[in-house]
Amino acid sequence: MNLKKSITSFFLLALILLACSNSDESENTTSIRTFGIFKVLEDDITVEMNGEVTSSSLSNFNQLELAFPNIKTINIKNCDGSSDDVVNLQLSQKVHQKGINTHLMNNGLIASGGTDFFLAGVKRTKGSNTKIGVHSWAGDNEVATDFPVGHANHLPYINYYVSVGFTQQLAEDFYYFTIKAAEAESMHWMTEAEINQYGLITP
């Protein structure tokens, strides 16, 4: 009877240890595939993005690229902006230069710097029930609309749109549309007609 109890206890302990081991392995796999707001999916070529772009996002993406150099698509779940606009543009340009596609997932949302990031995709697609937001930028007690058309302060974004494939005219049209669409503390959610007019989704 004691021998049976010992054998039973041994198997129970073994099952518990195995379960803990599998749990730890799963957690380790997840952590290895997560780089800030980016998570590499099991196919090793698709990334899921969820969260605001920060000062560390470019560094995180560089680490991701070293570990997974064959990324083809970034699926965006939610990116409602960036806390570091300079890093956001640098990160976005790198994504475009690497030939990566962007996809706004079903029920996904992008806004402000998140919209700029989405435009980095060589191919840009979106699912259903999505939201794309734009507004004016602001900083140092100034807003974009304080400056006349053609002012040098408008060039960083216009040049960025050109660098990711927009024509000069479309880049200017879209940029000036965004800064007039809503004030910096507000947001304009683009209509399907506007999304098509400014070529946010590639053919």
Side-chain angles (χ1 to χ4, degrees):
M1 205 53 190
N2 289 337
L3 180 59
K4 288 183 179 179
K5 287 183 178 180
S6 297
I7 293 172
T8 301
S9 298
F10 172 79
F11 279 112
L12 285 173
L13 179 60
L15 288 172
I16 291 170
L17 290 173
L18 181 61
C20 290
S21 175
N22 289 340
S23 177
D24 290 342
E25 184 179 340
S26 176
E27 289 177 6
N28 289 337
T29 301
T30 299
S31 63
I32 290 171
R33 292 179 173 273
T34 301
F35 303 81
I37 60 175
F38 303 107
K39 181 176 72 174
V40 181
L41 302 186
E42 292 298 325
D43 64 3
D44 292 347
I45 62 171
T46 307
V47 169
E48 183 177 289
M49 177 183 185
N50 188 26
E52 178 186 72
V53 174
T54 68
S55 298
S56 61
S57 294
L58 178 57
S59 175
N60 290 336
F61 187 80
N62 288 338
Q63 292 170 15
L64 180 156
E65 189 186 23
L66 285 174
F68 299 91
N70 299 315
I71 297 302
K72 301 299 182 187
T73 303
I74 298 177
N75 292 336
I76 306 173
K77 186 175 183 179
N78 186 303
C79 181
D80 59 1
S82 63
S83 60
D84 189 324
D85 293 341
V86 173
V87 166
N88 188 48
L89 292 185
Q90 292 173 340
L91 169 63
S92 301
Q93 286 179 320
K94 179 162 191 175
V95 166
H96 184 78
Q97 290 164 2
K98 293 294 180 182
I100 296 172
N101 303 321
T102 53
H103 174 72
L104 182 57
M105 298 169 66
N106 291 345
N107 305 308
L109 180 151
I110 49 174
S112 188
T115 299
D116 291 329
F117 178 88
F118 172 75
L119 295 178
V122 174
K123 181 178 179 182
R124 302 184 297 270
T125 55
K126 70 181 184 74
S128 60
N129 195 34
T130 58
K131 297 182 74 173
I132 300 178
V134 296
H135 64 173
S136 175
W137 56 262
D140 298 325
N141 297 317
E142 296 173 324
V143 297
T145 50
D146 288 341
F147 305 99
V149 171
H151 193 281
N153 286 355
H154 298 308
L155 291 180
Y157 287 97
I158 293 173
N159 290 342
Y160 165 68
Y161 299 139
V162 171
S163 77
V164 296
F166 281 45
T167 64
Q168 183 69 34
Q169 187 61 59
L170 185 57
E172 292 180 12
D173 290 347
F174 177 64
Y175 170 76
Y176 288 116
F177 160 74
T178 66
I179 66 173
K180 295 174 183 177
E183 296 180 354
E185 63 274 11
S186 184
M187 190 66 65
H188 170 74
W189 300 106
M190 295 180 69
T191 65
E192 288 296 324
E194 290 168 342
I195 290 169
N196 292 329
Q197 178 182 352
Y198 295 108
L200 271 61
I201 304 301
T202 56

